[in-house]
Amino acid sequence: MARILITSALPYINGVKHLGNLVGSMLPADAYARYCRAQGHEVLLICATDEHGTPAELAAAAAGQSVADYCAELWAIQKRLGDGFRLSFDHFGRSSSERNHKLTQHLAGRLADAGLIEEREEEQVYSNADGRYLPDRYIEGTCPNCGYERARGDQCENCTKQLNPTDLIDPRSAISGSTDLEVRKTKHLYLKQSAMRQRLSDWIDSKKDWPLLTTSIARKWLNEGDGLQDRGITRDLDWGIPVKRGDQTWPGMQGKVFYVWFDAPIEYIAATAEWADATGQDDAAWQRWWREDLGAGDVRYVQFMAKDNVPFHTLSFPVTIMGANFDGEEPWKLVDYIKGFNWLTYEGGKFSTSQGRGVFMDQALDILPSDYWRWWLLSNAPEGSDSDFTWGGFQTGVNKDLADVLGNFVSRVTKFCRSKFGEEVPPGGEYGAAEAAVVAELTKRLKAYEANWEAMEIRKAASELRAIWVVGNEYLQSAAPWAAFKEDPQRAAATVRFALNLVRLYAALSHPFLPDTAEAMLAALGLEQAEWPKDIGTALDALPPGHAFTVPDNLFAKISDEMRAEMEARFAGE
């Protein structure tokens, strides 16, 4: 049994997430955690809302709420929607927690002791109308690169170029719209990432098994242009973690907070501490996952994230973790594997909240049960390249994979058995060459399925699972118990008994992708759980003659052409 720590990139607090956000980190992290638990491993799956930074303040102001109240409300909404998609987090925390405040301030002090933090004077935009500095998204203007007139102070949404607020042409306050702006000097703390460049480079070079997407992004930031740059870790904001060195106010940093990208990854650790608190455990319970000297030496740590988060998790957060152990006194756990994802687009374009374009998590759950979405998103996960959600593709995936293959198999087997043998596994007959061939085929496919999961190749795992379902359908069609029953009812009974055991097997293997469906299949068989098969032959003889079952409701309703057209129009956007 291994110990596996899994973290998903933190969803930002400002609103409901869309399907692309879901499949970019949270959903695949959950599916992988479910697979690992099925193998008997000790798994801890951690996530949290990312609650600091300018977007939270702007969203709260737009909602007419205090930032604290807004974040508390949105955390509850995101938690409810995560539960709706069956995201099996052991803890879903908040980056605004007291744990994260204390740990962020502690690690900042350690980095200062290591000589990795430096105070620098810089120029920032100040709004006279608002009486405050305008960092990052508090300022809008024209992009100097592409001319887009609604570029933000941190990045142009149109051409994706990274920006500073002072780069913008014709800047204006995102709060008041005022153009009464001036550039003033202010002091901030910088994390000296450049001092760790070679160590980071060597560390990334040692990760031979990481996805190309992950390592290529990291090396681009390390080597392009002037190489890895030092990064400001404080901001002139009200909402955030106050800049302190341990418990002491940091001289010259009064009224400032830590930058969201400094404190957000630290919340992985803090959320684990929150988990220990919530479950009535002491600090040793979370430290055994994060401190190499306190039990984390045998932990395998896996992160899931979309590609825009990769630089911060391959460079900035490792600098914090490595730097805090400058004297060997705090050996924090470094990530072992980073699973990066490309983008999920919507009908050839971007998801957009403002334009009502694309499907968001709350809308999805109002339309269809979560397993429909889980299957399509995971089986089309944007691993090697971007993926595009289309309603036609979604309709095909649901109808052909779920309804025609898995759902149809379960329905045919259980209904035929009920009509000819009653609602229990029938006795009689012996397994023969046809069943042996299925056992041999599924033994081969199970190894491939497990290998794909171990490699975190989620699309390949989905493809293999569908092939496993197809084996059962082909067996049932070939054995044709409805025809055999007329001449050889004993042979028909053996076929049905074998097929009912296939239903149990499919429930176990489908659980990472389709947890609700797996539970429904097991409930129909009168079972609470089915262990992961160690041997296919044994697994397909687990239900004895006389074992009672019920015919389940239709597992998957097909998506009609009319519904597809209606959804296409509804979510096309302005």
Side-chain angles (χ1 to χ4, degrees), residues 274-537:
E274 295 169 43
W275 159 78
D277 294 339
T279 52
Q281 301 181 77
D282 60 15
D283 284 348
W286 69 264
Q287 289 169 346
R288 67 188 288 265
W289 292 97
W290 282 104
R291 286 284 294 265
E292 297 271 3
D293 56 337
L294 298 174
D298 61 348
V299 169
R300 176 168 167 79
Y301 177 23
V302 180
Q303 295 175 343
F304 286 80
M305 69 195 63
K307 59 186 176 183
D308 59 329
N309 286 329
V310 167
F312 302 101
H313 291 77
T314 54
L315 305 172
S316 301
F317 187 40
V319 167
T320 299
I321 295 298
M322 292 176 180
N325 191 38
F326 67 97
D327 56 2
E329 293 297 316
E330 292 192 11
W332 296 96
K333 177 66 184 176
L334 281 162
V335 67
D336 293 299
Y337 191 89
I338 296 179
K339 176 67 174 180
F341 290 87
N342 290 283
W343 304 129
L344 177 72
T345 55
Y346 180 81
E347 296 280 5
K350 292 182 178 180
F351 287 82
S352 173
T353 305
S354 61
Q355 296 179 16
R357 177 179 172 79
V359 184
F360 289 70
M361 288 173 66
D362 55 345
Q363 298 164 328
L365 292 176
D366 287 341
I367 297 168
L368 288 168
S370 61
D371 277 359
Y372 291 65
W373 303 102
R374 288 178 63 103
W375 174 253
W376 190 92
L377 290 169
L378 290 169
S379 62
N380 292 274
E383 291 175 305
S385 61
D386 292 350
S387 296
D388 188 41
F389 178 92
T390 67
W391 281 101
F394 181 65
Q395 178 189 33
T396 299
V398 168
N399 291 357
K400 291 188 176 299
D401 296 349
L402 299 182
D404 286 348
V405 183
L406 179 60
N408 182 57
F409 176 79
V410 174
S411 178
R412 291 174 77 189
V413 170
T414 54
K415 287 180 179 178
F416 177 76
C417 185
R418 180 176 63 183
S419 69
K420 302 301 182 183
F421 301 103
E423 292 188 334
E424 61 180 36
V425 178
E430 299 292 334
Y431 294 162
E435 289 72 30
V438 170
V439 169
E441 177 69 10
L442 291 185
T443 297
K444 179 181 70 174
R445 291 204 171 275
L446 176 62
K447 289 180 180 177
Y449 184 51
E450 292 173 337
N452 289 328
W453 268 122
E454 295 295 337
M456 282 172 258
E457 295 284 354
I458 295 173
R459 289 179 71 145
K460 290 181 180 178
S463 179
E464 199 62 51
L465 179 60
R466 187 188 188 281
I468 287 171
W469 298 338
V470 168
V471 170
N473 278 273
E474 291 177 344
Y475 163 77
L476 195 64
Q477 193 65 26
S478 175
W482 44 87
F485 184 79
K486 301 173 184 176
E487 304 294 333
D488 189 352
Q490 293 291 296
R491 177 62 200 151
T495 298
V496 169
R497 186 167 66 253
F498 189 76
L500 287 170
N501 273 284
L502 278 170
V503 173
R504 176 185 173 277
L505 175 70
Y506 289 170
L509 298 183
S510 303
H511 190 259
F513 288 97
L514 306 168
D516 284 351
T517 304
E519 290 179 9
M521 292 161 69
L522 291 175
L525 295 175
L527 303 171
E528 291 187 2
Q529 61 182 11
E531 67 280 359
W532 194 269
K534 297 292 188 289
D535 177 80
I536 291 294

Side-chain angles (χ1 to χ4, degrees), residues 177-194:
S178 173
T179 58
D180 183 12
L181 310 177
E182 62 182 72
V183 175
R184 292 186 181 181
K185 291 184 177 180
T186 183
K187 290 183 178 180
H188 282 289
L189 299 180
Y190 273 71
L191 181 61
K192 296 167 67 175
Q193 297 185 141
S194 59

Side-chain angles (χ1 to χ4, degrees), residues 52-55 57-58 119-127 130-139 165-166 175 182-190 232-243 250-260:
H52 296 136
T54 53
E57 289 196 354
L58 291 173
E119 183 180 300
R120 298 180 185 176
E121 189 173 72
E122 61 183 47
E123 292 184 335
Q124 283 196 1
V125 176
Y126 186 88
S127 169
D130 300 309
R132 63 179 297 165
Y133 286 99
L134 300 179
D136 303 332
R137 299 189 185 192
Y138 272 80
I139 183 169
T166 53
I175 303 171
E182 62 182 72
V183 175
R184 292 186 181 181
K185 291 184 177 180
T186 183
K187 290 183 178 180
H188 282 289
L189 299 180
Y190 273 71
I233 62 168
T234 57
R235 289 291 187 269
D236 290 295
L237 294 172
D238 296 323
W239 175 248
I241 297 176
V243 180
W250 206 301
M253 293 292 119
Q254 291 86 348
K256 300 179 190 292
V257 300
F258 285 108
Y259 182 35
V260 61

Side-chain angles (χ1 to χ4, degrees), residues 1-2 34-43 532 534:
M1 183 180 72
R34 288 178 180 275
Y35 167 77
C36 291
R37 292 187 190 113
Q39 304 311 300
H41 301 316
E42 183 183 2
V43 174
W532 194 269
K534 297 292 188 289

Side-chain angles (χ1 to χ4, degrees), residues 21-199:
N21 301 136
L22 178 63
V23 76
S25 57
M26 294 181 284
L27 184 55
D30 166 75
Y32 179 66
R34 288 178 180 275
Y35 167 77
C36 291
R37 292 187 190 113
Q39 304 311 300
H41 301 316
E42 183 183 2
V43 174
L44 190 64
L45 176 60
I46 294 293
C47 192
T49 42
D50 180 2
E51 300 189 4
H52 296 136
T54 53
E57 289 196 354
L58 291 173
Q65 295 177 272
S66 70
V67 192
D69 288 346
Y70 174 82
C71 288
E73 179 181 315
L74 266 293
W75 176 86
I77 290 172
Q78 293 201 22
K79 175 68 166 63
R80 173 176 57 80
L81 293 174
D83 292 344
F85 274 95
R86 306 300 184 253
L87 304 181
S88 58
F89 299 127
D90 289 287
H91 187 72
F92 186 66
R94 302 180 61 186
S95 69
S96 61
S97 70
E98 184 63 23
R99 280 286 195 179
N100 201 36
H101 276 236
K102 295 297 184 184
L103 188 56
T104 297
Q105 291 162 347
H106 168 77
L107 290 175
R110 294 283 297 176
L111 291 168
D113 292 340
L116 290 172
I117 288 183
E118 183 174 274
E119 183 180 300
R120 298 180 185 176
E121 189 173 72
E122 61 183 47
E123 292 184 335
Q124 283 196 1
V125 176
Y126 186 88
S127 169
N128 291 302
D130 300 309
R132 63 179 297 165
Y133 286 99
L134 300 179
D136 303 332
R137 299 189 185 192
Y138 272 80
I139 183 169
E140 296 177 344
T142 300
C143 174
N145 184 55
C146 71
Y148 180 60
E149 295 181 351
R150 296 179 58 189
R152 302 189 307 246
D154 59 349
Q155 186 179 30
C156 176
E157 208 172 43
N158 185 57
C159 69
T160 74
K161 183 176 178 60
Q162 299 283 317
L163 299 170
N164 290 313
T166 53
D167 296 333
L168 295 172
I169 301 168
D170 298 327
R172 61 190 177 275
S173 167
I175 303 171
S176 62
S178 173
T179 58
D180 183 12
L181 310 177
E182 62 182 72
V183 175
R184 292 186 181 181
K185 291 184 177 180
T186 183
K187 290 183 178 180
H188 282 289
L189 299 180
Y190 273 71
L191 181 61
K192 296 167 67 175
Q193 297 185 141
S194 59
M196 300 283 282
R197 182 186 178 282
Q198 190 57 52
R199 186 172 175 186

